[in-house]
Amino acid sequence: MEIIIQDGYEAISTQAAQIVAQTLNAKPDAVLGLATGSTPLGLYKELIRMHQQEGLDFSQVTTFNLDEYVGLPKQHSQSYHYFMHENLFQHINISEQNIYIPSGTTSNYQAFCEWYEQRIVECGGIDLQILGIGSDGHMAFNEPGSSLGSRTRIKTLTSQTIEDNARFFESSDEVPVYSITMGVGTILEARKIILLANGAGKAEAVAAAIEGPVTSMCTASALQMHRDTIFLLDQESAGNLKMTQYYQWIQDKMPGAP
Ligand code: GLP
């Protein structure tokens, strides 16, 4: 794991965008795993800028989103389909047929989940997965208690997540109770992972994920088992970490590493 602590949100967003750009420059037909939520908005904004001003090319890229609310149609303003089109896809030159987002309105969820897993494999697996983190330590919608080997499936949201996400809806009663989400096991198969976090509200979850035990009570802690994960944090979200000085020391010493 690499822990990078930056001064602020803009810096983590820019650095994440640079890693995405490096990935696409090395492999123009890369498969990206994408996340929703407020955290990756700065990254998406920077990718749009890079596309418009520097010609960053998405024409051969395939994307798989992590999750979707069950019951929200694609055109619902709080669906993750809508979010992705509004905040990224409509501004870049990605081909519509290369965009995969779990369906929140399928008639057969089990079959859909199996198909989704199979499509990821058929597309060659995810090269770079972008993640945020929930205040309860979840990644995607893998709430506490999710098996660390879980695959794409239906997951019931916790009342904390419903409360956290209620700010986007008229009231918490309108937040769907069920989601369809890639599993922890699915996420861990990505070749490279970047988890972004900002703000003091994430400090506890970030510390549990990085320095706590590997446990299904904080599903992001499963990233400790992954061979190539970068945590991109602002000062506030890194506020509860104990080994901060060492993480900084590693960054300082990196240029001289053999
Ligand atoms: C939702 C999403 C997660 C996201 C989390 C944090 O629960 N399913 O993928 O990481 O929210 O959201 P935010 O970035 O808005 O804090």
Side-chain angles (χ1 to χ4, degrees):
M1 290 193 298
E2 192 178 343
I3 318 298
I4 301 178
I5 303 166
Q6 296 277 19
D7 279 340
Y9 179 64
E10 218 175 290
I12 62 171
S13 302
T14 310
Q15 191 166 359
Q18 281 161 359
I19 298 170
V20 174
Q22 279 161 13
T23 304
L24 300 191
N25 289 334
K27 189 177 177 188
D29 61 348
V31 178
L32 301 179
L34 298 179
T36 50
S38 40
T39 309
L41 281 174
L43 156 65
Y44 296 154
K45 236 175 146 180
E46 178 61 5
L47 288 177
I48 294 165
R49 191 201 63 74
M50 286 172 144
H51 168 67
Q52 291 172 347
Q53 294 177 12
E54 295 164 13
L56 185 62
D57 181 23
F58 292 86
S59 61
Q60 298 177 64
V61 170
T62 298
T63 61
F64 284 90
N65 260 80
L66 287 167
D67 47 12
E68 178 58 287
Y69 288 113
V70 165
L72 296 193
K74 287 182 184 175
Q75 53 293 356
H76 189 287
S77 63
Q78 294 312 325
S79 78
Y80 286 168
H81 278 79
Y82 188 87
F83 176 101
M84 290 308 301
H85 281 89
E86 280 295 298
N87 294 302
L88 182 64
F89 296 146
Q90 67 171 342
H91 306 287
I92 58 174
N93 65 331
I94 189 162
S95 159
E96 198 66 36
Q97 76 218 28
N98 290 348
I99 296 171
Y100 295 90
I101 303 176
S103 170
T105 52
T106 179
S107 54
N108 185 339
Y109 281 97
Q110 198 180 331
F112 182 90
C113 291
E114 281 168 26
W115 174 82
Y116 202 71
E117 289 276 336
Q118 196 186 322
R119 275 315 286 152
I120 295 174
V121 174
E122 286 164 359
C123 291
I126 292 171
D127 292 300
L128 177 64
Q129 175 68 57
I130 306 298
L131 292 176
I133 186 168
S135 61
D136 61 3
H138 71 227
M139 45 182 190
F141 270 132
N142 292 288
E143 297 285 34
S146 294
S147 158
L148 301 187
S150 52
R151 313 301 306 191
T152 305
R153 69 209 185 291
I154 297 283
K155 192 73 205 168
T156 308
L157 303 184
T158 61
S159 48
Q160 185 179 337
T161 297
I162 290 173
E163 220 34 71
D164 285 351
N165 292 355
R167 67 189 193 276
F168 300 111
F169 293 79
E170 302 266 300
S171 74
S172 53
D173 293 342
E174 284 184 26
V175 184
V177 172
Y178 305 107
S179 66
I180 172 168
T181 178
M182 275 189 207
V184 179
T186 321
I187 293 168
L188 290 180
E189 281 172 13
R191 293 185 187 92
K192 188 179 184 81
I193 296 176
I194 308 175
L195 186 145
L196 298 161
N198 69 293
K202 300 294 173 67
E204 211 178 302
V206 163
I210 297 173
E211 295 178 344
V214 175
T215 167
S216 64
M217 289 298 116
C218 169
T219 52
S221 68
L223 296 171
Q224 294 177 33
M225 310 284 288
H226 188 263
R227 59 197 281 182
D228 190 3
T229 290
I230 300 175
F231 285 84
L232 271 174
L233 312 171
D234 73 343
Q235 301 281 353
E236 290 182 330
S237 65
N240 283 20
L241 291 170
K242 294 199 178 77
M243 300 284 286
T244 310
Q245 278 187 338
Y246 178 54
Y247 307 140
Q248 192 50 53
W249 170 258
I250 292 172
Q251 293 302 317
D252 295 346
K253 296 291 166 199
M254 206 170 267

